[in-house]
Structure formats: C-alpha cells, structure tokens
Amino acid sequence: MKPSFQVAAGLLAQLSMLRVEVAGPVVHLRLNRPEKRNAINTALVQQLQTAFVNLPAGSRAAVISGEGAHFCAGLDLSEVTEQTVAEGIFHSRLWHAAFEQIQYGPVPVVAVLHGAVVGGGLELAATAHLRVAEASAFYGLPEGQRGIFVGGSGSARIPRLIGVSRMTDMMLTGRVFDAVEGQAAGLSNYLVADGEGLAQAFELAQRIASNAPLSNYAVTQALPRIAEMAPAEGLFVESLMSAIAQGDEAAKQRVRDFLGKRAGKVGKAS
Ligand code: 1HE
C-alpha cells in the first residue's frame, strides 16, 4: 500500500531544490530541479547535506529520487568553467561532506533511478545503500569526455559497486550502460518497469524501517567499514557490533518472538 506522504515542515520545507515529504518513519527526498535535469549545483549539494543532517525525528528510512524525466544529470557544468584549482578542490570536498552525510547518516537510504543517472548523479546514486532502477535508467560517466574527473566520491564508491575495470571503460570511452546492463554490473539492486520505482522503493523503505534501528545502523555503519579492514581487525569490530546489537531490547524481543512462533520464517519471495 502506498504510504500517505505529507510535505515536511520547518527547515526541510525551505530547501528550494528539494521536495521533502514524510510518511511515518519514511522520508522521501526528491531532487526538484527538473528544468536542469536535476543537475547538482553548489546550492543543491548544500541542501542535500542540510536535509540529511536534519531528517525529521522518527525517520527510519529515506528514499531519494528525481523529479521529471531523469534522476540526475550530475554536476551543474555552468559552475565549472570559472573555477580556480583551489575552488575546484573545495567544491569537491563539499560534495564529499554532503555524500558522507547521506551514506553515514542515521538511516538507510534507497535511491530510485530513472532516465539519466550520469556523472555526479551516479556518484549520488552510489552513496545510497540500495538502488532501485526503472527500465529507462542509463548510466554514464561523461567526465572523461568533458575533460574533468569524478569529484563527488565516485572514484571511491563506484568501483566498490562495479569494479575499477568497468568504471575505467565508462570514463575512457564514454560507454553508457542501459538499465539491464547496469543491473548485471551491480549498479542497481532491483530493476523494475518504468513508473514502478517509487512504489518498490517505498515498500523496501517500509520493510527496512520495521527492522530494529540498531541492527540497521550496524549494517549501514559497521558493514562498509569492516569490509575495508584487514580480516582480523574486521572480525574484532564485528564481535563488538554484534554484541551491541544483540544486547538491545529490540533484538531480544525479536528473538523471543521467533522462539514463541510469533515471527515469520525465512522463505523465498513468491
Ligand atoms: C545542464 C546539465 C548539467 C542538463 N549542467 N546544465 N553531466 C553531463 O555531462 C550530462 C549533461 N547532460 C546531458 O547529457 C543531458 O542534459 C541529459 C541526457 C541529462 C538530458 O537530456 P535532455 O535532452 O532531457 O535535456 P537537455 O535539453 O540536454 O537539458 C535541459 C536543460 O538542462 C538545458 O538547459 P537550458 O537552459 O538549455 O534549458 C541543459 O543545458 C541543462 N543541463 N544537464 C548544467 N550537467 C562532483 S564532480 C561530478 C562531475 C560530473 O557530474 S560531470 C558530468 C556532467
């Protein structure tokens, strides 16, 4: 069932390039610059950071999507031409700070991808914890052709999804993956028909929001960090994280529910 969303109040309502809506524990952030294909200028990257720092109290999952025919056309190129080298570095670090806030913010984030998911748009998509692609989605890294390089954390995040080799191909040759190729490469977790991405993402977000918050937090915060550690250190952190999650009352209740036959069994999706 589609959750009933209300426009967010307060600071979130003042962000001119984002439309933020809330349905219970699920917050939906929509890039709202369709006339520029949701290209990300400095104001938008700052608004993304502000939004993820100030998610409504009680948020337990976020969905991010793009208004109009495309998810996001990447960096607003009109801002690049006049930048000095120093300004370019600061600009890139601004993106890093905002995207760090999305990946390592308080809640799991599901991105809905359709149309162009290119350049900084793909970098933004790679920041989410899960990606739902519609059939219209296509992925490119035109930085190579524009004479620039990724600057929004793509070099760290995209190879972790698809490998250095595929990313090298996209950047050197301008290769564009369609939605089916993107799914096969690992750019999306779910591939759905056009127009079905939001419904799928809301369903996932509601499911995620019903998990124990500390368990979700361990998945979004500890898992990617452990994956970067040497196994011995990673396993030590794992033991701490699992004990912390297990010690929480929400975990104990869930285990009691299963043992009391009040919780669902594991089964294949029908
Ligand atoms: C833009 C941008 C943009 C559109 N910056 N203004 N990204 C790119 O190299 C992708 C460039 N964009 C495109 O290839 C196409 O616009 C799309 C495939 C995304 C969409 O095509 P279409 O036919 O639907 O739209 P359009 O007619 O090309 O664009 C509509 C308007 O949006 C137009 O402005 P207008 O004033 O003439 O109406 C475009 O100029 C504008 N527009 N994309 C600025 N990107 C942190 S580092 C990240 C580095 C990068 O992301 S590099 C990749 C940049």
Side-chain angles (χ1 to χ4, degrees), residues 35-37 70 73 75-77 95 119-120 123 142-143 146 151-152:
E35 69 288 356
K36 293 290 178 190
R37 308 312 184 243
H70 302 279
L75 170 68
D76 187 326
L77 292 166
W95 282 57
E123 295 180 284
E143 285 87 340
R146 308 265 183 252

Side-chain angles (χ1 to χ4, degrees), residues 13-232:
Q14 292 164 28
L15 303 174
S16 57
M17 294 181 190
L18 287 175
R19 183 175 165 84
V20 186
E21 297 181 344
V22 182
V26 177
V27 53
H28 177 199
L29 301 100
R30 201 189 292 254
L31 306 178
N32 197 14
R33 223 191 154 204
E35 69 288 356
K36 293 290 178 190
R37 308 312 184 243
N38 299 319
I40 302 177
N41 59 10
T42 299
L44 178 49
V45 86
Q46 287 170 330
Q47 290 186 15
L48 277 168
Q49 182 167 15
T50 300
F52 276 91
V53 170
N54 295 280
L55 291 179
S59 298
R60 288 171 70 165
V63 171
I64 183 160
S65 68
E67 183 63 37
H70 302 279
F71 173 66
C72 177
L75 170 68
D76 187 326
L77 292 166
S78 67
E79 286 190 344
V80 177
T81 45
E82 301 306 324
Q83 260 176 10
T84 65
V85 170
E87 286 166 347
I89 294 171
F90 297 146
H91 181 255
S92 169
R93 298 299 285 162
L94 209 66
W95 282 57
H96 292 169
F99 285 11
E100 189 78 0
Q101 186 58 38
I102 298 174
Q103 183 180 357
Y104 292 111
V107 300
V109 180
V110 182
V112 180
L113 310 177
H114 74 299
V117 184
V118 302
L122 180 50
E123 295 180 284
L124 173 60
T127 306
H129 301 99
L130 290 177
R131 281 157 294 281
V132 175
E134 294 193 350
S136 67
F138 58 95
Y139 308 92
L141 289 169
E143 285 87 340
Q145 285 64 56
R146 308 265 183 252
I148 54 179
F149 188 60
V150 284
S153 72
S155 61
R157 290 199 170 97
I158 296 170
R160 286 178 166 76
L161 297 177
I162 62 172
V164 171
S165 174
R166 284 197 188 90
M167 181 164 172
T168 303
D169 187 7
M170 292 173 83
M171 293 202 70
L172 287 181
T173 69
R175 182 169 181 177
V176 170
F177 288 130
D178 66 21
V180 172
E181 291 167 328
Q183 171 78 10
L187 283 170
S188 55
N189 302 90
Y190 298 83
L191 178 56
V192 298
D194 285 337
E196 291 180 5
L198 277 177
Q200 170 77 77
F202 293 147
E203 196 220 306
L204 295 171
Q206 282 173 310
R207 215 184 300 166
I208 290 166
S210 71
N211 293 339
L214 199 50
S215 183
N216 279 348
Y217 198 68
V219 173
T220 60
Q221 309 294 314
L223 181 61
R225 291 185 166 99
I226 292 170
E228 299 300 324
M229 291 177 188

